[in-house]
């Protein structure tokens, strides 16, 4: 039972490049979330999903897109990366109880 | 939307002393309050949580208290140890019918041996 798995763990991009972060969970959770964590800012919600095929905007959605084609996977896309998107990205999944987090993806945009 | 304030932002205590971290929330409909511990470079991990129908919950050296009237909740760590050093986040479940969490900005706890 792996819980929540995020890939990749680290990535360096140039401004304007695109990429997709993958989150996979094996707990059959309905709800999944993408957060970004910046120093002194806590965890801020980017997008979330309440089930397969559904997505919704969180607190800081601009510059990101998401898809939930399968219940176990939640993808976060950056279409044109900007230096302001340098951050640590965490995925989480949940069903009724607490949210369970992945190990994070450290993303640097040069 | 929900707003969660967390204080202090940094806290240093001597090993063996107690540590208290406080959070306030704005949405009176919030009904679930978890606390997460995040060690350097690691994922946030749940350490304790409390629901709005309970005033206090304990788990060994960790306790959480909730005051619904004042809309604040606190984390208490007794007999602190160096391994308690980490960043602690409080959170509140945002309103009725939603499982979203709004997080405080975190408290960096340092336990001095």
């Amino acid at each position: 039972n792996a819980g929540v798995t995020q890939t990749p763990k680290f990535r360096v991009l140039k401004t304007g490049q695109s990429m997709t972060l993958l989150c996979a969970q094996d707990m059959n959770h309905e709800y999944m979330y993408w957060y970004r964590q910046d120093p002194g800012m806590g965890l801020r919600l980017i997008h979330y999903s309440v089930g397969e095929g559904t997505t919704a905007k969180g607190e800081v959605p601009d510059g990101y897109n998401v898809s939930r084609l399968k219940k176990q996977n939640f993808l976060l896309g950056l279409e044109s990366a900007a230096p302001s998107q340098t951050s640590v990205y965490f995925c989480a999944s949940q069903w009724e109880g607490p949210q369970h987090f992945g190990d994070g993806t450290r993303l640097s945009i040069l | 939307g929900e707003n969660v304030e967390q204080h202090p932002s940094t806290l240093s205590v001597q090993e063996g002393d107690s540590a208290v971290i406080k959070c306030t929330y704005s949405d009176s409909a919030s009904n679930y309050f978890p606390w997460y511990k995040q060690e350097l470079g690691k994922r946030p991990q749940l350490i304790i949580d409390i629901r709005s129908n309970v005033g206090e919950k304990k788990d060994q050296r960790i306790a959480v208290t909730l005051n619904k009237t004042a809309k604040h909740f606190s984390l208490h760590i007794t007999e602190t140890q160096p391994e308690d050093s980490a960043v602690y986040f409080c959170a509140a479940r945002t309103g009725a019918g939603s499982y979203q969490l709004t997080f405080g900005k975190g408290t960096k706890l340092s336990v001095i041996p």
Side-chain angles (χ1 to χ4, degrees):
Chain A
N1 188 338
V4 179
T5 302
Q6 291 184 234
T7 54
K9 296 188 184 304
F10 305 94
R11 186 72 183 268
V12 178
L13 292 178
K14 294 181 179 179
T15 298
Q17 287 185 317
S18 64
M19 79 161 295
T20 301
L21 281 65
L22 171 64
C23 177
Q25 53 96 3
D26 60 4
M27 296 174 282
N28 202 34
H29 286 168
E30 289 291 337
Y31 291 47
M32 296 187 74
Y33 308 83
W34 276 108
Y35 294 92
R36 61 177 289 171
Q37 185 175 39
D38 303 294
M41 299 296 292
L43 290 153
R44 294 185 291 170
L45 183 64
I46 304 171
H47 286 280
Y48 65 99
S49 169
V50 299
E52 182 178 314
T54 74
T55 63
K57 294 180 180 180
E59 178 187 357
V60 289
D62 294 342
Y64 305 95
N65 56 76
V66 288
S67 64
R68 183 99 180 268
L69 299 179
K70 293 182 178 181
K71 186 177 183 179
Q72 63 268 36
N73 296 335
F74 195 28
L75 303 173
L76 178 70
L78 286 74
E79 290 185 346
S80 179
S84 60
Q85 294 177 305
T86 293
S87 188
V88 180
Y89 292 85
F90 284 99
C91 175
S93 72
Q94 174 190 29
W95 179 238
E96 294 186 334
Q99 292 185 13
H100 300 266
F101 286 84
D103 286 333
T105 295
R106 186 173 297 274
L107 184 61
S108 295
I109 316 296
L110 304 179
Chain B
E2 175 70 279
N3 183 49
V4 176
E5 300 283 341
Q6 183 172 348
H7 299 280
S9 57
T10 60
L11 179 61
S12 292
V13 299
Q14 291 292 133
E15 182 177 357
D17 287 350
S18 295
V20 180
I21 302 170
K22 299 180 179 180
C23 289
T24 60
Y25 60 98
S26 61
D27 189 341
S28 57
S30 291
N31 58 10
Y32 175 68
F33 307 91
W35 285 89
Y36 287 84
K37 176 183 180 182
Q38 187 179 28
E39 297 176 352
L40 189 62
K42 300 292 182 66
R43 70 176 76 181
Q45 291 195 299
L46 179 78
I47 54 172
I48 196 167
D49 56 7
I50 192 169
R51 298 185 185 275
S52 59
N53 59 347
V54 175
E56 183 176 6
K57 184 177 179 181
K58 289 183 179 180
D59 183 3
Q60 299 183 339
R61 296 186 297 108
I62 294 173
V64 57
T65 58
L66 171 65
N67 183 326
K68 287 190 294 182
T69 302
K71 290 190 284 188
H72 68 71
F73 56 112
S74 300
L75 178 71
H76 304 254
I77 306 174
T78 59
E79 301 173 15
T80 54
Q81 300 168 4
E83 52 264 39
D84 294 329
S85 296
V87 178
Y88 292 81
F89 293 97
C90 63
R93 178 170 285 166
T94 311
S98 168
Y99 286 116
Q100 290 181 58
L101 291 176
T102 300
F103 286 85
K105 293 185 178 180
T107 296
K108 183 177 181 181
L109 174 64
S110 299
V111 179
I112 304 165

